Amino acid sequence: MLARLNQHYLTTKHPEKPTSCRTISSGNLRTPRVIKTIALAIGGVAAYGAYCIFRRPDSRAIVEADPSKKTLVVLGTGWGSVSLLKHLDTSRYNVLVISPRDHFLFTPLLPSCAIGMLEGRSLTEPIRRILSKEHGSVKFCKASVSKIDYANRVVHINSNDKVSFDLLVVGIGAENATFGIPGVKEHACFLKELEDAREIRQRVINCIEQASQEQNDTELERKLHMVVVGGGPTGIETAAEMRDFFRNDVQRLFPKLSDKVKVTLVEALPSVLQMFPKGLIEYTESKFLAEQIDILKNTKVKRATETHIEAEVTQPDGSIKTEMVPYGVLVWAAGNAVRPVVRDLMDQLPEQASSRRGLLVDEYLRVKGTQGVWALGDCTATRYSATGQVAHQEGAYLAQFLNNADANAGEDMARSQLPPPFEYTHQGSLAYVGDGCAIADLSVFGKNMPFAGALTHILWRIAYIKMCISSRNQYFIAGDWLGPAIFGRSMSTN
Amino acid sequence: MLARLNQHYLTTKHPEKPTSCRTISSGNLRTPRVIKTIALAIGGVAAYGAYCIFRRPDSRAIVEADPSKKTLVVLGTGWGSVSLLKHLDTSRYNVLVISPRDHFLFTPLLPSCAIGMLEGRSLTEPIRRILSKEHGSVKFCKASVSKIDYANRVVHINSNDKVSFDLLVVGIGAENATFGIPGVKEHACFLKELEDAREIRQRVINCIEQASQEQNDTELERKLHMVVVGGGPTGIETAAEMRDFFRNDVQRLFPKLSDKVKVTLVEALPSVLQMFPKGLIEYTESKFLAEQIDILKNTKVKRATETHIEAEVTQPDGSIKTEMVPYGVLVWAAGNAVRPVVRDLMDQLPEQASSRRGLLVDEYLRVKGTQGVWALGDCTATRYSATGQVAHQEGAYLAQFLNNADANAGEDMARSQLPPPFEYTHQGSLAYVGDGCAIADLSVFGKNMPFAGALTHILWRIAYIKMCISSRNQYFIAGDWLGPAIFGRSMSTN
């Protein structure tokens, strides 16, 4: 009855639209109702199946801290810390997790999120939800760490609170490296947190909206020029996703603008995607050429203004040319820098004096010059690259370390029974290069094998769905991928 | 192969977790793989069916403005304007839509969105997507209207641009009424746009996080006290959704806090939900009593500070008592006020001098004192309530008016062939009252019939899915409702 009423409400009996128009605008009428009903019924069955399979965990009683156990403070909620927490037998310690970010972020899909393929919620897993599955006393404190005082074994949080620790794991990542280049902090978008992705999306859409009303051709071209600095996977994927968005969605909604939109990738080194084998780099470059994404190699940004970047291009003959490149949106994905709180900890430890890239750790991930302090992920200076994969394995390794350690042996507990040193097992690198194609450099039976193309993109998606840390993320990401495939990406700044 | 590899990557061969812990944390292993595969296969079939049924519209060539046609400027992208555009034969006019908001917002579900049941994207439909299905010259300009200059038939947008119109439809809604009460604008959250919903969600979660670390009992209670001002459907639904969130999700993650969380609804009048019949009001009040949501009736807010509201309570004996009510989050849903640009237009027209609530329109929705200017929705002062349902019907009516009008008869075109006056057909009112129950006052065969309870909540959901203006919204809202049902609401501020 209600359904009928609302159907009535929607079509609004009195003000009839001329029949010719109505047939066009109400697409729902094209398909026989019975097919729709069957589709909905199948969907309902599938949904109920999913509900039975993935139903949420039962609630858990809060366990108070046990004074006989050591206090393990974990800083950060990124790949390293969350992997540690998921693998740790938390009942052995009083665990306190401190982070200003109350969720884990699935960083590899951040470029997709920036360009409207995915919603922020799909990439995040509330840390409270992760911790609610752990046993023992596990607490979370939403706060920024202002100082790690190693001598007093205290972490200062917010403005004036302190937390003591027996054992400490530092997994607070890195900040964006701007290399002191003037104007970058003020004018560029970064791509580390969810807010960054939202910011990029809004700026891109605002540029297109403004360009659609722009009379001046130079201004028009500037507004439609998207510049991505950094030729790593993040930069490559951001450029590729932007190009897809322009080709598919902007093309449809702004046909007049679409051939004026330009994407440029700027890289200071002579090559992009340095961690990939040569064949895949060449594949990516040819793909970008076909998609009309310019790659400026050997190009260093010297300054950024609100509308331009000043770039120094090293010519093949070694001479240097300075260019002013106008841009509408500038995305900065040029690597990591040490966070001030990590820098401060390093200054407290003479053993860290030689390091500039981050905390030095030994082969057991112990911070050099400390006892009972470990570090993992992007805040460390190791021979591994700064990826979620490395941090994830480090977290799992450290969990095993702490699960087997004799928690009562005091500060020196680790020395008596050292496990094998941490060894990173590279599973492979993936990158989406646009137009439905991806590249993959996978480790198969110990050998690295390159893959590229549309099939690799399907593998790329399966791999990321598999890598999600919760069924909840899998559910939402799959739903998000299907949505834009049917309805197109969202062309609004919400 | 890749799937196997990633499985391997996820479980991380080397650092094994003690078996007992792993069984608990990796819930995926509990269910036989074959059931999961079957569920995924069914989901895939359903998804493909959905794809075939709802596939996106083909791209459309941009049509340039035809100088022989009149220019129809539509201000706003809310219920009224979008309904007009969907029902209008746009090929009869050069249509220009102007709004600072580049999407239509499905306002009835905004309270659900504020408390984490729905994502913003699910409630919005990009205006570009709506317009791409229309015929003729239809353009959109993302801009704020700074002045409507009736005498010169010009709309001023942004800081210094102008747009001329032959015909104008004003559908720019209203702003939040604060009645000049000091402190409300500064400290309260409103609930009109998507950003408002995000703001409420962040403030609520931040309050809970802060309360979880609070030592002072008075502060703790204050932070966990959510005050909603306004006893209309928006206020009622916001209070109900908050209570659900606390009962289900906060209860699970913060068991110690959950019995200290309090929700209070403040209403200046002697009754809430004035547009509903008495039986349903009583049902709602008893429901709120059972859910421990306090309703303060006859209570006027006189002042708001960062932490308290000062309220004047009229006692049953007529005397007035002043109370200070501490709060953690203050949501203000107390009605509409006239936007300055509408006020300015009214000041230009002597016929509008008597109105204080909005533009006066005649029975054909023509703005009194003008020719070729119409108004609809919350910016008008009519005898109807300020709901999307009214604006939607007004938009459809006006579309019929403009579809049948003789576009070449000049300014007076409407006078020669007036259609029947606009008549609002009330289809019913719905409100969610918490704990899985809703109330509905429906018009069945011309008679109003009250419904209440859990079944009504299912009808409430079906009704809103039906009312969505696009399959895209339906797809995402259905997905969003299923997600939290399985995984709980998100407990993070992203």
Side-chain angles (χ1 to χ4, degrees):
Chain A
M1 169 57 79
L2 190 74
R4 206 178 55 76
L5 273 173
N6 275 281
Q7 185 64 33
H8 169 85
Y9 166 55
L10 261 188
T11 50
T12 340
K13 211 176 191 176
H14 288 297
E16 285 294 50
K17 192 168 180 174
T19 321
S20 64
C21 291
R22 189 208 260 170
T23 325
I24 293 155
S25 70
S26 51
N28 288 359
L29 297 178
R30 280 178 307 194
T31 320
R33 187 166 297 267
V34 62
I35 299 185
K36 248 173 119 172
T37 310
I38 292 172
L40 284 172
I42 295 177
V45 170
Y48 182 73
Y51 176 80
C52 294
I53 295 169
F54 303 113
R55 63 188 172 283
R56 80 179 102 162
D58 297 333
S59 83
R60 189 182 66 89
I62 284 281
V63 178
E64 279 309 312
D66 176 348
S68 73
K69 292 178 186 169
K70 282 186 185 295
T71 298
L72 170 65
V73 172
V74 179
L75 306 182
T77 49
W79 279 101
S81 303
V82 165
S83 167
L84 165 71
L85 290 163
K86 289 199 101 175
H87 291 89
L88 185 70
D89 178 1
T90 47
S91 62
R92 292 172 63 97
Y93 302 95
N94 298 319
V95 180
L96 174 63
V97 182
I98 302 175
S99 174
R101 195 177 74 183
D102 58 9
H103 54 270
F104 166 79
L105 180 63
F106 192 75
T107 44
L109 291 177
L110 213 45
S112 301
C113 179
I115 323 294
M117 274 302 280
L118 294 165
E119 279 299 281
R121 183 234 353 228
S122 313
L123 299 189
T124 58
E125 180 71 4
I127 188 72
R128 295 273 181 196
R129 196 165 180 273
I130 296 169
L131 298 183
S132 72
K133 296 171 191 166
E134 299 296 333
H135 289 244
S137 168
V138 185
K139 291 185 176 161
F140 172 68
C141 170
K142 186 178 178 180
S144 292
V145 173
S146 49
K147 185 184 172 71
I148 301 169
D149 181 348
Y150 174 67
N152 296 309
R153 297 191 90 76
V154 156
V155 174
H156 295 254
I157 56 173
N158 293 335
S159 42
N160 47 18
D161 281 343
K162 279 188 215 172
V163 174
S164 303
F165 61 85
D166 298 314
L167 309 172
L168 178 70
V169 177
V170 184
I172 58 176
E175 59 180 30
N176 294 292
T178 60
F179 311 106
I181 299 169
V184 172
K185 248 196 190 113
E186 294 81 359
H187 304 299
C189 301
F190 299 95
L191 200 45
K192 231 177 190 28
E193 302 294 341
L194 206 51
E195 292 73 41
D196 300 336
R198 290 212 177 103
E199 175 76 23
I200 292 177
R201 181 166 161 182
Q202 294 199 350
R203 286 204 201 178
V204 169
I205 292 178
N206 280 336
C207 269
I208 296 168
E209 287 287 355
Q210 285 166 18
S212 74
Q213 296 164 40
E214 184 61 58
Q215 305 299 324
N216 179 323
D217 271 0
T218 317
E219 260 308 272
L220 179 75
E221 271 180 34
R222 178 184 75 72
K223 283 192 171 132
L224 294 178
H225 188 202
M226 310 291 149
V227 174
V228 179
V229 179
T234 308
I236 292 283
E237 291 195 338
T238 305
E241 292 270 5
M242 278 183 175
R243 188 67 221 170
D244 280 4
F245 176 56
F246 297 140
R247 182 188 304 278
N248 302 329
D249 303 272
V250 177
Q251 159 76 32
R252 196 158 41 84
L253 298 171
F254 301 85
K256 283 167 87 178
L257 296 184
S258 69
D259 57 343
K260 294 194 180 105
V261 183
K262 213 175 105 185
V263 180
T264 300
L265 187 88
V266 176
E267 168 60 54
L269 298 174
S271 165
V272 296
L273 290 176
Q274 300 247 328
M275 73 289 286
F276 281 86
K278 202 154 168 267
L280 291 180
I281 296 176
E282 278 164 10
Y283 176 84
T284 305
E285 288 180 352
S286 69
K287 201 83 206 160
F288 271 33
L289 193 69
E291 292 167 40
Q292 293 167 304
I293 303 175
D294 282 353
I295 302 183
L296 302 181
K297 287 180 279 193
N298 293 312
T299 304
K300 282 185 185 145
V301 177
K302 304 309 279 182
R303 198 164 58 89
T305 70
E306 210 180 323
T307 54
H308 287 74
I309 51 170
E310 189 184 313
E312 263 184 23
V313 190
T314 310
Q315 309 281 336
D317 63 4
S319 67
I320 285 174
K321 211 178 90 186
T322 301
E323 272 183 42
M324 292 297 284
V325 183
Y327 72 85
V329 177
L330 175 64
V331 178
W332 194 264
N336 288 333
V338 180
R339 284 193 195 277
V341 63
V342 172
R343 163 74 49 211
D344 176 76
L345 175 61
M346 288 160 69
D347 290 344
Q348 298 168 39
L349 305 167
E351 289 82 351
Q352 301 281 342
S354 65
S355 174
R356 299 187 53 186
R357 282 171 45 228
L359 287 165
L360 294 176
V361 293
D362 68 10
E363 64 272 39
Y364 306 103
L365 304 180
R366 297 180 299 195
V367 174
K368 286 188 182 170
T370 70
Q371 283 191 321
V373 180
W374 292 262
L376 34 71
D378 293 0
C379 62
T380 62
T382 62
R383 64 178 195 277
Y384 310 118
S385 45
T387 66
Q389 197 179 160
V390 170
H392 184 272
Q393 291 187 23
E394 288 176 342
Y397 169 84
L398 188 52
Q400 185 203 25
F401 192 112
L402 292 168
N403 287 343
N404 295 329
D406 178 359
N408 296 318
E411 299 295 289
D412 269 326
M413 63 169 205
R415 299 203 186 283
S416 56
Q417 47 187 87
L418 287 175
F422 171 71
E423 194 78 47
Y424 170 63
T425 316
H426 186 65
Q427 306 288 343
S429 306
L430 297 160
Y432 177 65
V433 297
D435 199 21
C437 294
I439 56 171
D441 174 38
L442 299 180
S443 169
V444 183
F445 300 120
K447 270 193 172 177
N448 277 16
M449 286 181 63
F451 298 90
L455 206 62
T456 310
H457 184 217
I458 297 176
L459 292 181
W460 178 90
R461 289 198 163 179
I462 294 173
Y464 281 154
I465 285 277
K466 278 275 184 186
M467 277 164 64
C468 284
I469 65 161
S470 77
S471 318
R472 181 180 160 278
N473 284 157
Q474 293 176 328
Y475 170 86
F476 284 123
I477 289 178
D480 279 1
W481 272 337
L482 190 63
I486 304 172
F487 307 108
R489 302 184 196 213
S490 173
M491 189 68 213
S492 73
T493 51
N494 57 77
Chain B
M1 169 57 78
L2 189 74
R4 205 178 56 75
L5 273 173
N6 275 280
Q7 185 63 32
H8 169 84
Y9 166 55
L10 260 188
T11 50
T12 340
K13 212 176 192 175
H14 289 297
E16 285 294 49
K17 192 168 180 173
T19 320
S20 64
C21 290
R22 188 209 260 171
T23 324
I24 294 154
S25 69
S26 51
N28 288 359
L29 297 178
R30 280 179 307 195
T31 320
R33 187 165 296 266
V34 61
I35 300 185
K36 246 172 121 171
T37 311
I38 292 172
L40 284 173
I42 295 176
V45 170
Y48 182 73
Y51 176 81
C52 294
I53 295 169
F54 303 113
R55 64 190 171 281
R56 80 179 101 160
D58 298 332
S59 84
R60 189 182 65 90
I62 285 281
V63 178
E64 280 309 312
D66 175 348
S68 73
K69 292 178 185 168
K70 282 185 184 296
T71 298
L72 170 65
V73 171
V74 179
L75 306 182
T77 50
W79 279 101
S81 303
V82 165
S83 167
L84 165 71
L85 291 163
K86 289 199 102 175
H87 291 89
L88 184 70
D89 178 1
T90 46
S91 62
R92 293 172 62 97
Y93 302 95
N94 298 319
V95 180
L96 174 63
V97 182
I98 302 175
S99 174
R101 195 177 75 184
D102 58 9
H103 54 271
F104 166 79
L105 179 63
F106 192 74
T107 44
L109 290 177
L110 213 45
S112 302
C113 179
I115 324 294
M117 274 301 279
L118 293 165
E119 279 298 281
R121 184 239 346 235
S122 314
L123 300 188
T124 58
E125 180 72 4
I127 188 72
R128 295 273 181 196
R129 196 166 180 272
I130 296 169
L131 298 183
S132 72
K133 296 171 190 166
E134 299 296 333
H135 289 243
S137 168
V138 185
K139 290 184 177 163
F140 173 68
C141 171
K142 186 176 177 181
S144 292
V145 173
S146 49
K147 185 184 173 70
I148 301 168
D149 181 348
Y150 174 67
N152 295 310
R153 298 191 89 75
V154 156
V155 174
H156 295 253
I157 56 174
N158 293 335
S159 42
N160 47 17
D161 280 343
K162 280 189 215 172
V163 174
S164 302
F165 62 85
D166 298 314
L167 309 172
L168 178 71
V169 177
V170 184
I172 58 177
E175 58 180 31
N176 294 293
T178 60
F179 311 106
I181 300 168
V184 172
K185 249 197 190 111
E186 294 80 359
H187 304 299
C189 301
F190 299 95
L191 200 45
K192 231 179 188 28
E193 302 294 341
L194 205 50
E195 293 72 42
D196 300 336
R198 291 212 177 103
E199 175 76 24
I200 292 177
R201 181 166 161 182
Q202 294 198 351
R203 286 203 201 177
V204 169
I205 292 178
N206 280 336
C207 269
I208 296 169
E209 287 287 354
Q210 285 166 19
S212 74
Q213 296 164 40
E214 184 61 58
Q215 305 299 325
N216 179 322
D217 270 0
T218 317
E219 259 310 90
L220 179 74
E221 271 180 34
R222 178 184 75 73
K223 284 194 171 131
L224 294 178
H225 188 202
M226 310 290 150
V227 174
V228 179
V229 179
T234 307
I236 292 284
E237 292 195 337
T238 305
E241 293 270 6
M242 277 183 175
R243 188 68 221 170
D244 280 4
F245 176 56
F246 296 140
R247 182 188 304 278
N248 302 329
D249 302 272
V250 177
Q251 159 75 32
R252 196 158 42 84
L253 298 171
F254 301 84
K256 283 168 86 178
L257 296 184
S258 69
D259 57 342
K260 294 194 179 105
V261 184
K262 213 175 105 185
V263 180
T264 300
L265 187 87
V266 177
E267 168 61 54
L269 298 174
S271 165
V272 296
L273 291 177
Q274 300 247 326
M275 72 289 287
F276 280 86
K278 201 153 168 268
L280 291 180
I281 295 176
E282 279 164 10
Y283 176 84
T284 304
E285 288 180 352
S286 69
K287 201 82 206 161
F288 271 34
L289 193 69
E291 293 168 39
Q292 294 167 304
I293 303 175
D294 282 353
I295 302 183
L296 302 181
K297 286 180 278 193
N298 293 312
T299 304
K300 281 185 185 144
V301 177
K302 304 309 279 182
R303 198 163 59 88
T305 71
E306 210 181 323
T307 54
H308 287 73
I309 52 170
E310 189 184 313
E312 263 184 23
V313 190
T314 309
Q315 309 282 336
D317 63 5
S319 67
I320 285 174
K321 210 179 91 187
T322 301
E323 272 182 42
M324 292 298 283
V325 183
Y327 72 85
V329 177
L330 175 64
V331 178
W332 194 264
N336 289 333
V338 180
R339 284 192 195 276
V341 63
V342 172
R343 164 74 48 212
D344 175 76
L345 175 61
M346 288 160 70
D347 290 344
Q348 298 169 39
L349 305 166
E351 290 82 351
Q352 300 281 342
S354 65
S355 174
R356 299 187 53 187
R357 282 171 44 229
L359 287 166
L360 295 176
V361 293
D362 67 10
E363 64 272 39
Y364 307 102
L365 304 181
R366 297 180 299 195
V367 174
K368 286 188 181 170
T370 69
Q371 283 190 322
V373 180
W374 293 263
L376 34 72
D378 293 0
C379 62
T380 62
T382 62
R383 64 176 194 278
Y384 310 119
S385 44
T387 66
Q389 198 179 160
V390 170
H392 184 272
Q393 290 187 24
E394 288 177 342
Y397 169 84
L398 188 52
Q400 185 204 23
F401 193 112
L402 292 169
N403 287 343
N404 296 329
D406 178 359
N408 296 318
E411 299 296 288
D412 269 326
M413 63 169 206
R415 300 204 185 283
S416 56
Q417 47 187 86
L418 287 175
F422 172 71
E423 194 79 46
Y424 170 63
T425 316
H426 186 65
Q427 307 288 344
S429 305
L430 296 161
Y432 178 65
V433 297
D435 199 21
C437 294
I439 56 171
D441 174 39
L442 300 180
S443 169
V444 183
F445 300 120
K447 271 194 171 176
N448 277 16
M449 286 180 63
F451 298 90
L455 205 62
T456 310
H457 184 217
I458 297 175
L459 291 180
W460 178 90
R461 289 198 163 178
I462 295 173
Y464 281 154
I465 285 276
K466 278 275 184 186
M467 276 165 65
C468 284
I469 65 160
S470 77
S471 318
R472 181 181 160 277
N473 284 157
Q474 292 176 328
Y475 169 86
F476 283 124
I477 289 178
D480 278 2
W481 272 337
L482 190 63
I486 304 172
F487 307 109
R489 301 184 196 214
S490 173
M491 190 68 213
S492 73
T493 50
N494 57 76

